Amino acid sequence: MADVELSIPARSAYVGVVRLAIGALARAAELDEDIVDDLRIAVSEACTNSVLSHERSGVDAPVTVTWNEEPSRLLVEIVDEGAVYDADGLDADDTQAELRLSMSVAMLRSLMDGCEIAPREGPGMATRFTVPRRTR
Amino acid sequence: MELGIDVSKTDSHAVVDVKGEIDVYTAPKLREKLIELVSEGSYDVVVNLEGVDFLDSTGLGVLVGALKRVKAHDGSLSLVCTQDKILKIFKITGLTKVFPIHASVAEATGASSE
């Protein structure tokens, strides 16, 4: 059982560091390899959205990833302090940034069942999802 | 993290071989290369993703941006990709309908010059 919190500077160079960490955590949790891949992509997308949001808003706070393992599932949350947006109200034809974000949201929702992308308490957005674990 | 980009020219196409991970950190390098090619007059471009281990929404955004640029010159942008994990990203985002995706560079350069 591992609970891990990763806090990264909101800069693009650190998103790859999170991918490495998530890959290692997911393998340590004995998830299937295809789920490990999906999880790396999903966490990377959520961190990318947060890092770009901080850059645009000029926020100098870190982006935080928490990883909580429960017996039957693991919970992952990515939290930022950037601008709040409506993940259901994006216009892919508007700007390049909005097109990218809408593709990112599509990836998150497709890869992670029940993925929530919503404003959190306090400033910023939170992206949350759960991954079922095999019972053995 | 490094992104390798090699460009070669055929009679009809500029072929961009990409190796490594395309993410928010490395995608700007690919964008700059694709903008440079179009500004030099290469309007028929093939991007070979066979050496790519990871592709995110930023990379997709760069490819869509490049497609718009070549289309403005009546050009084409096609992709080479056979890896399931990368193809999956194009399917999820609906971009399989936007980009011609081929199994080899030879197929891509042959198909879009017809």
Side-chain angles (χ1 to χ4, degrees):
Chain A
M1 248 16 76
D3 288 337
V4 176
E5 185 173 306
L6 276 170
S7 205
I8 59 158
R11 289 195 282 283
S12 60
Y14 293 93
V15 175
V17 176
V18 175
R19 279 201 303 280
L20 283 173
I22 291 297
L25 285 168
R27 286 187 189 99
E30 299 183 331
L31 298 179
D32 288 340
E33 203 55 32
D34 53 340
I35 297 174
V36 175
D37 271 346
D38 288 353
L39 201 50
R40 283 179 72 239
I41 297 169
V43 175
S44 186
E45 285 301 324
C47 285
T48 297
N49 298 342
S50 293
V51 165
L52 292 175
S53 173
H54 278 210
E55 279 182 4
R56 264 198 309 279
S57 318
V59 175
D60 196 28
V63 170
T64 304
V65 181
T66 56
W67 169 280
N68 295 311
E69 291 183 12
E70 294 180 355
S72 63
R73 60 180 191 167
L74 65 92
L75 291 83
V76 184
E77 184 178 48
I78 298 90
V79 165
D80 67 50
E81 295 182 23
V84 165
Y85 58 88
D86 175 6
D88 295 309
L90 298 169
D91 180 3
D93 294 325
D94 190 5
T95 59
Q96 278 280 94
E98 194 123 335
L99 167 68
R100 188 209 61 78
L101 185 56
S102 67
M103 292 191 293
S104 185
V105 167
M107 286 163 71
L108 279 160
R109 289 188 167 154
S110 170
L111 295 170
M112 294 291 135
D113 286 345
C115 176
E116 288 175 32
I117 306 164
R120 67 187 189 96
E121 287 177 31
M125 296 290 287
T127 302
R128 297 184 190 92
F129 38 81
T130 60
V131 179
R133 305 179 74 187
R134 277 174 300 177
T135 45
R136 48 183 72 239
Chain B
M1 192 168 41
E2 283 295 311
L3 187 70
I5 302 176
D6 282 310
V7 178
S8 52
K9 303 266 176 86
T10 70
D11 289 344
S12 55
H13 288 78
V15 179
V16 183
D17 284 300
V18 190
K19 286 189 175 61
E21 299 195 325
I22 308 176
D23 79 345
V24 63
Y25 183 58
T26 62
K29 186 177 172 187
L30 179 61
R31 181 170 57 231
E32 280 163 28
K33 179 55 75 180
L34 292 170
I35 288 173
E36 185 186 311
L37 282 173
V38 175
S39 68
E40 289 169 358
S42 295
Y43 304 139
D44 290 299
V45 178
V46 174
V47 180
N48 181 3
L49 299 174
E50 288 296 78
V52 170
D53 305 313
F54 183 87
L55 175 68
D56 79 349
S57 59
T58 340
L60 295 177
V62 166
L63 293 173
V64 171
L67 178 66
K68 286 180 181 163
R69 274 187 203 94
V70 295
K71 287 248 168 120
H73 296 277
D74 291 323
S76 64
L77 189 145
S78 52
L79 307 175
V80 177
C81 181
T82 59
Q83 299 185 77
D84 286 339
K85 65 178 178 183
I86 305 291
L87 287 170
K88 182 171 162 180
I89 303 300
F90 285 99
K91 282 179 194 147
I92 290 171
T93 49
L95 292 177
T96 46
K97 298 188 198 83
V98 174
F99 292 106
I101 301 179
H102 299 281
S104 68
V105 171
E107 187 185 301
T109 54
S112 59
S113 63
E114 279 166 11

